[in-house]
Amino acid sequence: SLWKLYLFNIMHNERFLFLTHFHHLFSGESAAFYFGHAETLGPLYTALGLFNDSQPLKHDNFKEMKNRTFRSSKILPFSANIALVLYKCDHPDSRASSTNDFVLRFWVNEQPVKIPACNDYVCRYNDVKESYYQHTEGCDFKKVCSVQEHDEL
């Protein structure tokens, strides 16, 4: 089950790859579109910290976790989708544009969700970016993506 994504560190590498890319996601493009399956959205949700329950679902707490937020049947249905929408806020008294003029909103399956970086539905872009940067600092992209050759023959 996908809820295990919050339990195992092996998923760190997959989450790291998205978060590293997050820093470049809104660097001047009007839009960026990516397509995948539920199997890719689950790790993306965990990378973003979405639907993270206070305790993991286990065999001995199933009844207590009846109302958990990470419920794959609800958050990963057929045609599941996520949108990260960047808004530019124009200030009439400001002549120069800066990254402080941007806010971000997350939508999962066409529903707004709270962004863990600020625990609100709309957050300053710089705050969200900084929050995710702390999770990727010191990670080596080339090492994570490298393939070891084996001389088996």
Side-chain angles (χ1 to χ4, degrees), residues 4-73:
K4 295 177 189 173
L5 297 174
Y6 276 111
L7 292 176
F8 300 109
N9 286 334
I10 196 168
M11 296 308 298
H12 170 76
N13 288 348
E14 191 171 337
R15 293 190 307 249
F16 157 72
L17 295 175
F18 170 75
L19 292 177
T20 301
H21 180 69
F22 181 82
H23 299 294
H24 305 290
L25 192 59
F26 297 113
S27 58
E29 296 120 9
S30 297
F33 298 92
Y34 300 90
F35 300 89
H37 301 279
E39 292 78 13
T40 55
L41 284 178
L44 176 56
Y45 293 165
T46 62
L48 295 171
L50 302 175
F51 311 109
N52 190 2
D53 294 300
S54 59
Q55 59 181 338
L57 175 65
K58 299 185 292 188
H59 74 283
D60 60 351
N61 70 350
F62 189 76
K63 286 184 181 180
E64 293 84 24
M65 297 297 292
K66 183 174 129 181
N67 296 317
R68 64 190 178 277
T69 59
F70 197 100
R71 185 177 293 274
S72 59
S73 61

Side-chain angles (χ1 to χ4, degrees), residues 26 41 44-45 48 50 81-86 104-113:
F26 297 113
L41 284 178
L44 176 56
Y45 293 165
L48 295 171
L50 302 175
N81 57 80
I82 184 169
L84 283 62
V85 182
L86 185 69
L104 194 60
R105 188 165 196 177
F106 291 180
W107 299 78
V108 173
N109 303 324
E110 294 90 34
Q111 298 297 315
V113 294

Side-chain angles (χ1 to χ4, degrees), residues 31-148:
F33 298 92
Y34 300 90
F35 300 89
H37 301 279
E39 292 78 13
T40 55
L41 284 178
L44 176 56
Y45 293 165
T46 62
L48 295 171
L50 302 175
F51 311 109
N52 190 2
D53 294 300
S54 59
Q55 59 181 338
L57 175 65
K58 299 185 292 188
H59 74 283
D60 60 351
N61 70 350
F62 189 76
K63 286 184 181 180
E64 293 84 24
M65 297 297 292
K66 183 174 129 181
N67 296 317
R68 64 190 178 277
T69 59
F70 197 100
R71 185 177 293 274
S72 59
S73 61
K74 302 280 187 198
I75 63 175
L76 295 166
F78 187 74
S79 74
N81 57 80
I82 184 169
L84 283 62
V85 182
L86 185 69
Y87 297 94
K88 184 176 186 311
C89 304
D90 291 325
H91 301 287
D93 57 336
S94 175
R95 294 186 184 168
S97 178
S98 77
T99 56
N100 288 326
D101 295 336
F102 294 92
V103 294
L104 194 60
R105 188 165 196 177
F106 291 180
W107 299 78
V108 173
N109 303 324
E110 294 90 34
Q111 298 297 315
V113 294
K114 284 189 176 182
I115 301 171
C118 69
N119 198 31
D120 206 345
Y121 292 99
V122 178
C123 300
R124 288 186 42 230
Y125 172 69
N126 282 344
D127 294 342
V128 176
K129 185 176 177 179
E130 180 61 31
S131 173
Y132 293 133
Y133 178 75
Q134 294 172 10
H135 297 290
T136 61
E137 193 173 16
C139 294
D140 184 351
F141 184 82
K142 289 184 180 182
K143 183 179 177 183
V144 170
C145 293
S146 68
V147 176
Q148 292 182 342

